[in-house]
Amino acid sequence: KEKPKNPWHKAVVIFIAVLGIIAIVALVTTAVLQNKPLQQKFKYGIVLDAGSSHTAVYIYEWPAEKENDTGRVKQKHFCQVKGPGISSYSLSPEQAGHSLRLCIQEAVLNVPRRRHHETPLYLGATAGMRLLRMENQSLCDQVLGSVEKVLQSTPFDYQGARIISGQEEGAFGWVTVNYLSDRLKQGSGTTGALDLGGASTQITFATNQDETGESAENTVTFRLYGNDYFLYTHSFLCYGKDQVLKLALAQQTQAGASTLLDPCFNQGYSTNLSYSSVYSSPCITTQKPLAAGEGFTHRGTGNALQCQEVVRRIFNFSGCTFSHCSFNGVYQPPLQGQFGAFSAYYFVMNFLNLTSDTLENNMEKMARYCSTPWTQIKQQFPNVKEKYLAEYCFSGTYILFLLTHGYNFTSDTWSNIKFIKKISGSDAGWTLGYMLNLTNMIPAEAPDTPPLPHAGYVTLLLFTSLLLFLILLCSLRSLWVRCTSQRQII
Ligand SMILES: O=P(O)(O)OP(=O)(O)OP(=O)(O)OC[C@H]1O[C@@H](n2cnc3c(O)ncnc32)[C@H](O)[C@@H]1O
């Protein structure tokens, strides 16, 4: 006898199946929509590097929703201000602010208008202004006031113009290099930073906590992404590329002669220099020689070995009161790890083709460059600025001396130095680190990350639901089969 059919069975099965299909469609749609890349919103920040030789404007950009992720901030635009650094406008301070206008206009065009009011704008002045402040505080204030007036009138969120300390310049250069190379989250194996400017030079590297104890003024500590860093840093004022040349010229013109035969310039090079252009810098502590006239003829003799002797005399290796010193009685713990050398280190070493050779080969190449006659050098490099070309023998010899005798790099550790201009498209220098610090973009503690990335989470959810639905289908099918087979039982 046929068992009476339960009319609800079939309807329930169909209902559950339809519900399941709707649920799957909804899930797949959600997964597809959730994983679709959203249109990214960007934020911007602007930093003006008011250096001794020139001012540069950097515009940075980062995805708005990933502010605290390392390596997210990129250099979007760079503008080099025409003319000299702002400290050179001490006799006409108004011009200092005016000189920035063209680059400010470029910045206005490079940041979307709707972001202008929320884009922070900073100006940091370095060694040129440190020297002007030493010379004349009032002129220094007038120059800063003039740039301040122009920056306040921009549509950006102006955050101030100030002279940053040598410590800040060194430490933020280190932050930039390690942020861009994504080393800060790993907590170990950071890269040291070597920066050579026009008026000062900085060395900064991570060291052990006990090494920093000897000299508090050379110590900077950071807690970044949950890691503690003990940095050694020192800025040598007057040991930038331009001021150190003045030190060497003053050193060689003590007798007040009318001609200086300089081994650090190529044979055949000759120019007239005024004594005041050399002796007016606050870096030169000796008086202009009494017997000297207005000026002298600066003539090259092109001899690298003799040039090394000239350079040696601008360093003082005596009077160290610490366990270790670099030079001029300045504490320096033993060097640790890899180093990135940027700014003028890169310009000079790159021009001289000394960025990827051994120390010994570099010495030989340097000797060859210095002994090449000036006429030949000019012929060989007709498109290079003559001032740079003339100074490469001196600057290259100085850099090799500073790194080896000054900071104690040896033939064995030479390969630890990488000469760099940019890292992942952004210039190496203090500006990015400065902005990251002032906008609190590097958290002290590592942000908590979810166990699964968003896409992984959605995919997992989808697969689990599909699996559950398949199990459900199978159980419904067996229920269905049982129902229909019951009909045949008599
Ligand atoms: O940090 P401070 O000391 O204030 O100086 P700065 O900010 O002006 O210093 P830069 O790093 O911009 O430049 C360093 C020096 O390199 C010089 N320089 C720039 N381009 C160069 C090139 O192609 N070849 C040689 N020297 C160059 C420039 O004139 C400076 O003397």
Side-chain angles (χ1 to χ4, degrees):
K1 192 180 155 198
E2 191 176 327
K3 205 178 163 197
K5 215 166 59 172
N6 185 348
W8 290 105
H9 256 143
K10 201 173 171 186
V12 165
V13 169
I14 291 172
F15 180 69
I16 290 175
V18 169
L19 259 190
I21 289 165
I22 292 174
I24 285 182
V25 170
L27 262 173
V28 171
T29 318
T30 316
V32 169
L33 289 181
Q34 282 289 82
N35 284 337
K36 216 169 95 177
L38 297 170
Q39 208 204 345
Q40 282 207 322
K41 290 197 183 84
F42 287 98
K43 285 192 172 183
Y44 301 85
I46 305 174
V47 187
L48 278 81
D49 172 358
S52 62
S53 65
H54 78 299
T55 301
V57 180
Y58 295 91
I59 301 181
Y60 297 106
E61 174 188 73
W62 60 95
E65 75 278 13
K66 290 187 175 151
E67 271 194 322
N68 293 340
D69 270 7
T70 178
R72 291 292 177 171
V73 182
K74 304 252 149 54
Q75 186 176 313
K76 177 180 193 277
H77 186 74
F78 165 80
C79 179
Q80 170 113 20
V81 170
K82 294 239 159 13
I86 58 170
S87 55
S88 306
Y89 292 101
S90 59
L91 298 178
S92 51
E94 281 305 306
Q95 290 299 311
H98 194 263
S99 71
L100 309 179
R101 285 189 188 273
L102 281 179
C103 276
I104 294 294
Q105 278 169 20
E106 270 191 36
V108 168
L109 295 176
N110 273 279
V111 174
R113 186 196 286 262
R114 64 180 190 290
R115 297 278 178 202
H116 282 174
H117 68 284
E118 60 173 46
T119 298
L121 169 72
Y122 308 91
L123 180 140
T126 51
M129 288 298 279
R130 275 177 225 138
L131 290 175
L132 181 60
R133 183 172 56 189
M134 282 165 60
E135 255 184 309
N136 190 325
Q137 174 84 53
S138 153
L139 288 180
C140 172
D141 292 343
Q142 287 177 44
V143 169
L144 274 184
S146 147
V147 297
E148 187 132 36
K149 214 165 89 187
V150 168
L151 298 180
Q152 264 164 353
S153 68
T154 66
F156 303 115
D157 179 17
Y158 174 58
Q159 296 283 319
R162 54 181 286 267
I163 302 174
I164 64 167
S165 68
Q167 257 193 4
E168 288 176 286
E169 196 175 358
F172 292 132
W174 180 92
V175 171
T176 300
V177 167
N178 286 285
Y179 175 87
L180 288 174
S181 50
D182 226 352
R183 288 173 184 268
L184 295 178
K185 274 198 175 157
Q186 295 152 17
S188 63
T190 55
T191 303
L194 295 163
D195 182 358
L196 179 60
S200 72
T201 189
Q202 289 72 238
I203 176 168
T204 310
F205 55 96
T207 183
N208 313 326
Q209 188 172 5
D210 47 316
E211 297 281 12
T212 58
E214 269 191 67
S215 170
E217 65 177 295
N218 295 120
T219 307
V220 174
T221 55
F222 280 126
R223 184 166 175 83
L224 310 170
Y225 295 114
N227 299 304
D228 288 315
Y229 297 99
F230 300 93
L231 302 188
Y232 164 80
T233 185
H234 191 82
S235 175
F236 290 88
L237 189 60
C238 300
Y239 282 76
K241 176 176 168 288
D242 302 325
Q243 288 299 327
V244 89
L245 175 59
K246 288 187 199 261
L247 290 183
L249 290 175
Q251 235 281 326
Q252 294 178 91
T253 53
Q254 288 295 290
S258 59
T259 301
L260 163 62
L261 296 177
D262 192 338
C264 299
F265 282 71
N266 303 88
Q267 173 97 51
Y269 172 84
S270 180
T271 193
N272 292 325
L273 287 180
S274 70
Y275 268 101
S276 62
S277 69
V278 174
Y279 284 83
S280 61
S281 160
C283 291
I284 311 299
T285 48
T286 52
Q287 292 292 313
K288 176 185 150 190
L290 283 176
E294 273 295 289
F296 61 96
T297 305
H298 185 208
R299 210 166 269 167
T301 59
N303 184 315
L305 273 182
Q306 286 173 9
C307 180
Q308 274 175 38
E309 284 314 305
V310 168
V311 168
R312 185 186 301 278
R313 289 202 290 272
I314 48 187
F315 287 79
N316 180 359
F317 292 109
S318 60
C320 178
T321 55
F322 301 99
S323 58
H324 316 268
C325 281
S326 47
F327 57 96
N328 297 358
V330 172
Y331 170 66
Q332 183 188 293
L335 296 168
Q336 278 190 26
Q338 302 283 316
F339 283 79
F342 46 88
S343 304
Y345 279 117
Y346 179 84
F347 304 141
V348 174
M349 300 299 266
N350 183 53
F351 172 84
L352 294 167
N353 195 20
L354 308 182
T355 55
S356 49
D357 219 332
T358 61
L359 180 58
E360 288 68 25
N361 288 349
N362 285 343
M363 293 287 201
E364 277 174 30
K365 285 187 194 169
M366 206 55 250
R368 246 176 283 142
Y369 183 84
C370 288
S371 61
T372 309
W374 177 234
T375 44
Q376 197 178 319
I377 296 270
K378 276 205 298 185
Q379 259 174 17
Q380 230 173 310
F381 306 101
N383 299 323
V384 180
K385 207 162 134 180
E386 213 165 277
K387 178 182 146 53
Y388 293 157
L389 216 46
E391 291 176 5
Y392 281 130
C393 169
F394 172 78
S395 314
T397 308
Y398 168 61
I399 287 175
L400 290 180
F401 194 91
L402 171 67
L403 292 174
T404 53
H405 295 81
Y407 297 150
N408 303 321
F409 283 96
T410 61
S411 303
D412 293 336
T413 56
W414 182 256
S415 59
N416 290 347
I417 309 172
K418 299 279 170 286
F419 295 90
I420 46 169
K421 179 169 165 52
K422 286 176 182 272
I423 304 170
S424 317
S426 304
D427 279 273
W430 60 268
T431 51
L432 175 57
Y434 187 68
M435 186 193 74
L436 293 172
N437 181 58
L438 290 178
T439 50
N440 288 322
M441 244 188 294
I442 307 185
E445 301 304 330
D448 289 334
T449 45
L452 275 181
H454 179 72
Y457 166 75
V458 174
T459 315
L460 189 71
L461 205 72
L462 184 69
F463 273 109
T464 319
S465 313
L466 269 175
L467 198 68
L468 281 176
F469 183 68
L470 283 177
I471 295 171
L472 185 74
L473 267 189
C474 289
S475 21
L476 282 175
R477 192 176 169 275
S478 55
L479 191 67
W480 178 270
V481 169
R482 232 182 301 146
C483 289
T484 46
S485 56
Q486 271 173 358
R487 261 189 269 156
Q488 277 129 40
I489 301 167
I490 301 178

